């Protein structure tokens, strides 16, 4: 297994920029969902907030674990996928509950 990131420096930079934008946009969406939940106290909006938070966290976690903590990339991607799956399940539940 190669300990160095695959791809060119430009590709790694582009990936870092896109993941940062995903974190920012996902954070903004989560924040607005939380504001709506606090204003209305609707349980479905609370679940929606949690779901978006999980998806956002999942989408940036694999790279962070790999770069900062030295976790194997496949393990990071598995954890990322599990968090995204959990987030989508919570979002689906929030749309079902009324």
């Amino acid at each position: 297994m190669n300990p160095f990131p695959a791809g060119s420096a430009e590709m790694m930079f582009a990936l870092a920029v896109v993941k940062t934008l995903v974190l920012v946009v996902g954070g903004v969406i989560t924040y607005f969902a939380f504001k709506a939940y606090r204003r209305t106290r609707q349980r479905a909006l609370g679940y929606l907030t949690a779901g978006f938070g999980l998806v956002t966290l999942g989408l940036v976690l694999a790279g962070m674990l790999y770069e900062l903590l030295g976790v194997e990339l496949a393990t990071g991607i598995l954890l990322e996928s599990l968090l995204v799956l959990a987030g989508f399940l919570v979002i689906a539940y929030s749309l079902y509950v009324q």
Side-chain angles (χ1 to χ4, degrees):
M1 194 155 203
N2 186 0
F4 301 105
S8 66
E10 294 84 12
M11 184 62 71
M12 298 308 292
F13 178 74
L15 183 59
V17 168
V18 169
K19 286 290 189 176
T20 301
L21 290 173
V22 166
L23 178 62
V24 169
V25 173
V28 168
I29 291 170
T30 304
Y31 171 73
F32 285 139
F34 181 69
K35 273 183 55 173
Y37 166 72
R38 280 189 37 190
R39 187 176 58 248
T40 64
R41 295 290 182 200
Q42 288 184 357
R43 195 173 65 169
L45 284 174
Y47 286 126
L48 188 68
T49 300
F52 278 124
L54 284 171
V55 169
T56 301
L57 178 65
L59 288 173
V60 297
L61 192 63
M64 285 177 47
L65 288 175
Y66 176 72
E67 290 294 330
L68 300 178
L69 300 177
V71 173
E72 212 175 293
L73 189 58
T75 304
I77 291 172
L78 176 62
L79 185 57
E80 170 188 23
S81 299
L82 288 171
L83 283 172
V84 170
L85 174 63
F88 282 147
L89 288 171
V90 171
I91 290 170
Y93 182 73
S94 79
L95 296 172
Y96 175 75
V97 172
Q98 256 323 323

